[in-house]
Amino acid sequence: MKKVVITGMGAVTPIGNTVSEFQEALFAGKNGINVITKFDITNSKYKVAGEIKNLDTASILGKPFVRRTDVFTQYAMIAAREAMAQSGLIANPENENMNIDSERLGVCFGSGIGGVETLCADHKNLLEKGARKVSPYFVPKMIYNIAAGNIAIEFHANGSCTAVSTACATGATAIGEGYRAILHGYADAMICGGSESAINALTVAGFGNCQALSDTEDPEKACRPFDKNRNGFIMAEGAGVMILEEYEHAKQRGANIIAEVCGYGSTCDAHHVTAPDPDAIYIAKAFQQAIPEDMQTINLSRVYVNAHGTSTKLNDVTETKALKKVFGEEEAKKLHISSTKSMTGHMLGATGTVEAIASVLALINNTVPPTIHYETPDEECDLNYTPNEAVKTPIELALSSNLGFGGHNAVVAFRKI
């Protein structure tokens, strides 16, 4: 039976623009949510978000690349470069140090929304200046598969290149489908992840009008997963990339192996376009699918769950129910759970991969990141959500769960190698 391992990780997040920066902020409980600067919020009900800070994409990627790509693709490429550099994979046939067949290197990368900043800018150009002022790059900047395509071009990945979109479960789904591709022999390595840059007036208004966003103006009170006074999620942006590789292939080339991907669960509530099924049946089934058979009897005090934990009334209760269905009403209280969205906000299509990286960091460092801003317990959310302070404890299994509009559920499992 093949094993799938992680040999590289890359991240661009509101609390750090590299994995090392992200890790330091994660365990320190740093808040990455602040007042929105990406558009004029004078007439907006929603004032705060998790924006990327101190990142000059042009100096990293070059002005020509930035000119012809949307910001979500730029974040994706920066994270992919970090992950691939850590992995040491080289697929370029012109490089004498090539260590993977380019046809055996694939990409599975997605976005929840894609190039919406480009869409808004060029629609404005169309209305104000006419059709001739719409950029010739409009379509290849906007389409949500283009980050995957650019990553494949950059790293000479001639294997399967797919773009997945399962809304806010996208990043987790990309890892899961990359895991399956290697497990079933279609690739030796996969570049997996998700990216998003959608903090603009249109998208914020849309999410706000469907009653998903918090209108709390205080950044220290805005994102409160599992807290009784939570009132909606906080928009954020970023990217995450994970390099998955077949274990023997990685070992043979002497790669630094970070952890093992040991399971993946994917289900659909088939219930409602935005709300999770309150019975949590299929969220629970996704968890059950992800947990490997040889870890079914693990001591639950050694299990970490990076919950989707959006800080919405419905999600947090439903996810709590799912964990109780899987592990038992009382036994579930032994789990170490946190929502790192309390620090980053909700990165939509990127959040699943970034939170998978957080899960791996928790696993290998035996440290549970906190759920910050937690003040008032909710009787319907009565598990251990690691309030406000990181906890050092042995971790043997990490589970990262994500739920998306449309009823998409994805859970990825990790263990030490």
Side-chain angles (χ1 to χ4, degrees), residues 38 101 135 407:
K38 298 195 79 168
D101 181 346
S135 170

Side-chain angles (χ1 to χ4, degrees), residues 55-66 68-71 73-79 81 154:
L55 186 69
D56 184 350
T57 58
S59 68
I60 297 169
L61 300 170
K63 290 181 181 178
F65 186 87
V66 167
R68 64 176 185 266
T69 57
D70 187 88
V71 180
T73 298
Q74 295 162 30
Y75 292 164
M77 187 60 74
I78 290 169
R81 284 185 178 181
E154 174 90 356

Side-chain angles (χ1 to χ4, degrees), residues 152-167:
I153 292 167
E154 174 90 356
F155 299 107
H156 305 274
N158 295 121
S160 171
C161 180
T162 57
V164 298
S165 185
T166 51

Side-chain angles (χ1 to χ4, degrees), residues 11-18 21 32-34 37-38 49-57 60 71 75 78 195-199 235-239 344 347 350 354:
V12 174
T13 82
I15 60 171
N17 296 328
T18 64
E21 288 179 2
I33 296 163
N34 217 318
T37 64
K38 298 195 79 168
E51 295 182 347
I52 299 302
K53 308 168 194 74
N54 305 316
L55 186 69
D56 184 350
T57 58
I60 297 169
V71 180
Y75 292 164
I78 290 169
S195 182
E196 208 77 78
S197 179
I199 301 173
M235 288 274 290
E237 59 181 349
T344 64
M347 292 170 277
V354 172

Side-chain angles (χ1 to χ4, degrees), residues 309-364:
T310 56
S311 189
T312 60
K313 291 293 184 184
L314 291 178
N315 176 93
D316 297 5
V317 171
T318 306
E319 208 168 0
T320 298
K321 282 184 184 177
L323 291 170
K324 289 180 177 180
K325 282 182 183 292
V326 174
F327 299 105
E329 286 277 338
E330 291 302 314
E331 287 293 296
K333 294 177 180 178
K334 297 178 182 178
L335 296 165
H336 295 280
I337 306 163
S338 66
S339 171
T340 49
K341 287 185 181 69
S342 61
M343 293 176 265
T344 64
H346 193 345
M347 292 170 277
L348 308 179
T351 207
T353 311
V354 172
E355 289 168 12
I357 291 169
S359 301
V360 170
L361 294 174
L363 176 73
I364 63 177

